[in-house]
Amino acid sequence: MNVVNLMSFMFKKMNRRFFPLISGLLIMTLLQGCGLFGNKGTSSEKLNRRGEVTGVPKRSGWQQALPFEMAPVKAGTFWIGQADEDIALSMASMNKQVTISEFFMDKYEVSNNKYRQFLDAVRMGELALGTPTTQAEAPDFVLEELLPDTTVWSTSFTHHYGDPLMEYYFDHPAFDDYPVVGISWDQAKKFCEWKSYHMNANDESEFDMPKFRLPFEAEWEYAAKGGKEIAKYPWGGPYLKNRRGCLMANFKPGRGNYIDDGFAYTAPVDAFAPNGFGLYNMAGNVSEWVEDAYNPAANALIWDMNPTFKDTTETRKVVRGGSWKDVAHFLETSARNYEYQYVQTAHIGFRTAMTYIGRSGSMEVKSNKRSRR
């Protein structure tokens, strides 16, 4: 008998010997799955039937995923406030050590095209693309109250020929990836409201994600520093140029000089290098609305854990980061400024943030796909 025949013979004998045992185990498994032999339900359900408290079943396994074009900002402690000489003698950026919990932040400033998607959804009355899965009521918007003011390119500056930008900047595809401007603080808040509903209504997850919002001022400054405890600029160093002599942001390098950084006005939202958290244009390009009301003494008043200064009676709202028309001082991570919440200008835009509700100090972000039902 050759080796092949011998192996075939042994395999047949083993099959005859173990076939009854395998068949029996398979039948018992199927019967148990059908609820026979008294093994009904999961272990927690059996414990509940015996009067034990195990919690509501099937609620585990949810994980907050990273939304499209957002960056995770891990928790940390840093010194909020003055990072260099207070040349304005404002005394409005005193140092204080605070802790910030994890959150997500847009990599880029909100672009013209993303804001246009918001307007199109409101215009067509289609705030959700599919069957809404969120329990929240659809927000109610008035289109005319959401439109950016395109005239700011001419009205914001004295004796300035801004007509081409007034005509083309928001509507022409050449500027799709440029930051939206002419947006008030109130309009930026409305965009966050729509973006939250748009995400949760069009997803099949059983549980809603946290809402999008404007960053808190302390969050914004912490994110701008890119993981460094103290940093004058988002790129960390004290200089405005890199080793090759290139300017690191879009701003006004000198009197009457706007073009040395490569852009006379705004730049695309992905221009220039990102900081340590992967965030673009945290200095220059456009200043950014944040959630906080403005108070010169805010840093002395806020708590040292996830601070934010709220005052519904204060119409001045904080703007951060400096813009294409500002000198270098306003690019500093600690520089504070404000504008009235209803004002629309050619140099203020915004980006959104989202609270992370996972385990503190253990930010496990794997993908932008949410858990399904």
Side-chain angles (χ1 to χ4, degrees):
M1 181 179 294
N2 58 32
V3 177
V4 175
N5 291 336
L6 179 61
M7 292 179 66
S8 178
F9 175 74
M10 293 176 66
F11 181 73
K12 289 179 180 177
K13 289 195 66 176
M14 290 176 66
N15 277 350
R16 286 196 297 269
R17 180 179 300 176
F18 293 107
F19 181 76
L21 178 60
I22 295 172
S23 299
L25 290 173
L26 181 62
I27 292 171
M28 290 184 66
T29 301
L30 292 173
L31 289 175
Q32 287 178 349
C34 294
L36 302 178
F37 297 123
N39 186 21
K40 297 181 180 179
T42 65
S43 58
S44 62
E45 289 172 341
K46 288 187 291 184
L47 287 170
N48 281 330
R49 286 196 294 272
R50 295 212 306 264
E52 305 293 350
V53 177
T54 62
V56 177
K58 298 180 181 180
R59 287 177 57 85
S60 61
W62 186 86
Q63 180 181 354
Q64 185 172 344
L66 187 65
F68 179 65
E69 292 189 343
M70 296 194 90
V73 180
K74 292 190 176 183
T77 298
F78 82 111
W79 285 92
I80 188 174
Q82 193 170 324
D84 201 356
E85 182 181 3
D86 184 12
I87 61 172
L89 298 177
S90 66
M91 303 294 288
S93 192
M94 304 303 292
N95 292 111
K96 183 173 186 175
Q97 186 171 247
V98 300
T99 295
I100 303 295
S101 296
E102 300 89 346
F103 65 99
F104 296 153
M105 196 170 194
D106 285 345
K107 292 181 180 180
Y108 315 111
E109 294 150 338
V110 174
S111 67
N112 284 320
N113 208 24
K114 287 184 178 178
Y115 197 83
R116 191 179 299 111
Q117 182 183 354
F118 167 41
L119 297 183
D120 286 348
V122 174
R123 183 180 291 111
M124 296 183 292
E126 298 177 356
L127 302 184
L129 300 178
T131 302
T133 59
T134 180
Q135 298 300 311
E137 292 290 333
D140 186 22
F141 298 119
V142 178
L143 180 63
E144 290 70 24
E145 296 176 356
L146 306 173
L147 298 174
D149 182 3
T150 59
T151 67
V152 294
W153 288 108
S154 291
T155 59
S156 292
F157 315 106
T158 304
H159 303 300
H160 165 250
Y161 180 54
D163 292 6
L165 290 170
M166 182 175 67
E167 183 176 356
Y168 296 114
Y169 185 80
F170 181 69
D171 292 316
H172 199 281
F175 293 101
D176 275 357
D177 294 329
Y178 284 65
V180 66
V181 296
I183 299 296
S184 68
W185 183 85
D186 296 305
Q187 290 172 317
K189 297 271 288 181
K190 292 292 185 182
F191 177 89
C192 294
E193 187 179 356
W194 164 78
K195 189 177 179 183
S196 300
Y197 185 80
H198 176 75
M199 176 185 63
N200 287 316
N202 292 303
D203 194 273
E204 298 176 3
S205 177
E206 184 177 358
F207 301 103
D208 283 353
M209 292 268 277
K211 294 180 180 180
F212 292 101
R213 54 177 173 77
L214 294 177
F216 301 127
E217 183 179 12
E219 284 181 337
W220 192 99
E221 184 170 328
Y222 175 69
K225 292 180 184 293
K228 296 177 173 61
E229 187 174 339
I230 299 176
K232 182 176 180 178
Y233 298 114
W235 46 89
Y239 305 111
L240 294 166
K241 294 183 178 181
N242 60 20
R243 293 179 180 179
R244 294 175 295 173
C246 300
L247 290 168
M248 300 290 287
N250 179 18
F251 68 110
K252 184 180 179 180
R255 178 173 294 181
N257 179 6
Y258 296 87
I259 198 64
D260 272 5
D261 52 52
F263 300 92
Y265 294 96
T266 55
V269 295
D270 60 351
F272 302 95
N275 72 357
F277 285 134
L279 305 171
Y280 291 75
N281 290 307
M282 293 297 286
N285 212 22
V286 290
S287 297
E288 299 175 14
W289 292 111
V290 297
E291 183 73 28
D292 297 47
Y294 179 77
N295 187 313
N299 283 5
L301 299 173
I302 56 176
W303 200 38
D304 56 4
M305 176 67 179
N306 292 326
T308 182
F309 186 82
K310 295 184 178 181
D311 183 355
T312 56
T313 65
E314 177 59 75
T315 58
R316 294 177 300 174
K317 305 300 180 182
V318 177
V319 292
R320 284 299 205 115
S323 74
W324 60 269
K325 75 168 192 64
D326 291 320
V327 296
H329 167 71
F330 294 100
L331 271 60
E332 296 179 14
T333 56
S334 60
R336 304 182 69 225
N337 208 342
Y338 70 87
E339 189 52 87
Y340 290 92
Q341 66 185 71
Y342 50 81
V343 169
Q344 299 160 295
T345 75
H347 64 276
I348 299 179
F350 69 101
R351 71 180 77 211
T352 67
M354 173 189 284
T355 301
Y356 180 74
I357 57 175
R359 178 184 175 186
S360 179
S362 179
M363 199 176 209
E364 298 177 358
V365 180
K366 295 182 180 179
S367 71
N368 63 348
K369 294 182 178 178
R370 296 172 57 192
S371 302
R372 302 292 180 179
R373 290 178 179 174

